[in-house]
Amino acid sequence: MGEVGFDVLVIGSGASGLAAAVSAERAGARVAVAAKGSLQSCNSAKAQGGIQAAFGDDDSPEQHAGDVWRSSHETADMQLVETLTSEAPAAIHWLEELGVAFTRENGGYRLARCGGASRKRLLQVGDRTGHAITKGLREAWERGSGTTFEHSGLRDLTPRENGWRATCGENVIDATTVVLAAGGRCYAEAEARGELSTNHPGATGEVTKLALGLGAESRDLDALQYHPNGGAWPANMQGYSIPETTRAYGAVLLNAEGEEFTDSLGPRDAVSQAIFDEVEAGRGVETPDGRPAVWLDTTRIPEADADVSLPYMLRRYRAAGIDPLGEKIFTYPVLHYQNGGLVIDTEAETTLEGVYACGEIAGGTHGRNRMMGNSLLECVVFGRRAGKAAAEKGSA
């Protein structure tokens, strides 16, 4: 295909890329999205737990920011954190305008308390929140007049006089500004380590390498996150991320003796490390196929909560012959998320002129450890910011 030109080119079709694309187009820019696979294939759609925003009477964006700061072990960029938490309620309302229907009760949102949080602020769409958000964003994008290049992974990016030239699959695309929203690298990293991962097979990190090769600054790229509750058995659940809302609704982690050995609502890295340590000390259990694990006692979850907030998880386990409300399940941490990434400012611009980054490819918002429920939020808040800023610069 010949060369084509746009104001804004978005690389990636997960929640952050779609939020950027919709936002840029609504700001009046000519926008294209280039996806490595189909428009639907991304990590965001697999996100189950939920999205954080301070809506509770006893909560505030400042309280939310404080929880992020503590969970990051005081390594997050506070300007980015304050942007994230202050714009969270507006991001939720924007998603609702796009048709995302968050679970409600008693006239308000159904809010859960997630690991590391001091208040209940996790909104959910059952236990398929990421699926609902990406569907709403994708439908909004497809209703617009933007151009989509599917099966067109970014292979090369070079500066030109008025912007950038990207080679995406077989397409050569010129754009004034570029938004990198291509996600992290945990699928490839898990393969290299011989471990399980929750990630989509597209999460292999080559766009980060391209940006670094162009001189973009990065931070905390070594800080990868384990999801504390990977499915460990049965075999078809291995690598599945058991929603952490199981613990928000009463499930606890138990060792072989049936003892609680950690705060089940602690930050992700602390809970994962506690599981690793317990197994290392010989107090873990073993799956029928010989893998290390501990118990997640899901029998403590009230059935009414499970039916509303964990229907997909129940369906998957029951299809495999296990009822999580009737018996404990095996769990062990799995590689899940790239905490660090490209350095950005509050407009999501990287250190490369006219190149923006949002979602998992960007670093700083979570520091070296991310709280659950903040990745989908980051995608929407910084995706919108990236799209708007890229459109303003790209159409100028």
Side-chain angles (χ1 to χ4, degrees), residues 46-114:
K46 292 162 68 79
Q48 298 167 124
I51 182 169
Q52 289 203 54
F55 280 108
D57 293 338
D58 61 348
D59 202 4
S60 67
E62 292 74 24
Q63 195 118 9
H64 185 179
D67 287 346
V68 176
W69 178 241
R70 282 185 293 279
S71 291
S72 79
H73 308 297
E74 304 185 354
T75 60
D77 177 330
M78 276 313 280
Q79 275 192 299
L80 298 180
V81 173
E82 284 161 5
T83 301
L84 179 82
T85 64
S86 65
E87 294 186 9
I92 296 298
H93 294 317
W94 186 66
L95 289 171
E96 288 178 318
E97 285 164 28
L98 301 183
V100 181
F102 292 98
T103 308
R104 300 179 78 92
E105 64 180 7
N106 306 326
Y109 298 112
R110 180 180 173 85
L111 299 173
R113 186 163 84 84
C114 57

Side-chain angles (χ1 to χ4, degrees), residues 28-29 40 68 79 86 102 114 119 124 151 200 232 239 247 318 322 351 355 387 393:
Q40 283 94 329
V68 176
Q79 275 192 299
S86 65
F102 292 98
C114 57
R119 296 287 186 270
Q124 305 134 80
H151 307 288
H200 186 280
R247 306 201 309 272
R318 285 169 176 167
I322 289 169
T351 55
V355 176
K393 188 172 279 197

Side-chain angles (χ1 to χ4, degrees), residues 49-50 52 63-64 66-73 111-122 225 227-229 242-251 253 262-272 366 369-375:
Q52 289 203 54
Q63 195 118 9
H64 185 179
D67 287 346
V68 176
W69 178 241
R70 282 185 293 279
S71 291
S72 79
H73 308 297
L111 299 173
R113 186 163 84 84
C114 57
S118 57
R119 296 287 186 270
K120 289 185 175 185
R121 73 169 72 90
L122 190 76
Q225 181 173 75
H227 189 294
N229 283 156
I242 300 166
E244 287 182 87
T245 37
T246 52
R247 306 201 309 272
Y249 291 116
L253 292 157
T262 188
D263 173 7
S264 292
L265 281 174
R268 277 185 164 168
D269 58 341
V271 176
S272 294
H366 314 296
N369 181 60
R370 178 176 71 78
M371 291 179 79
M372 79 163 291
N374 277 345
S375 61

Side-chain angles (χ1 to χ4, degrees), residues 259-316:
E259 301 160 341
E260 281 188 62
F261 57 89
T262 188
D263 173 7
S264 292
L265 281 174
R268 277 185 164 168
D269 58 341
V271 176
S272 294
Q273 193 58 52
I275 295 170
F276 289 137
D277 291 347
E278 202 68 7
V279 167
E280 187 72 21
R283 294 188 293 270
V285 293
E286 205 172 84
T287 64
D289 65 347
R291 289 177 180 270
V294 295
W295 293 117
L296 181 65
D297 186 0
T298 42
T299 66
R300 305 186 190 201
I301 303 171
E303 195 157 347
D305 285 334
D307 288 344
V308 171
S309 293
L310 299 162
Y312 181 64
M313 176 222 164
L314 290 180
R315 202 159 61 241
R316 282 199 60 168

Side-chain angles (χ1 to χ4, degrees), residues 215-228:
E217 286 178 30
S218 66
R219 55 167 289 173
D220 305 317
L221 272 175
D222 62 314
L224 298 179
Q225 181 173 75
Y226 283 86
H227 189 294

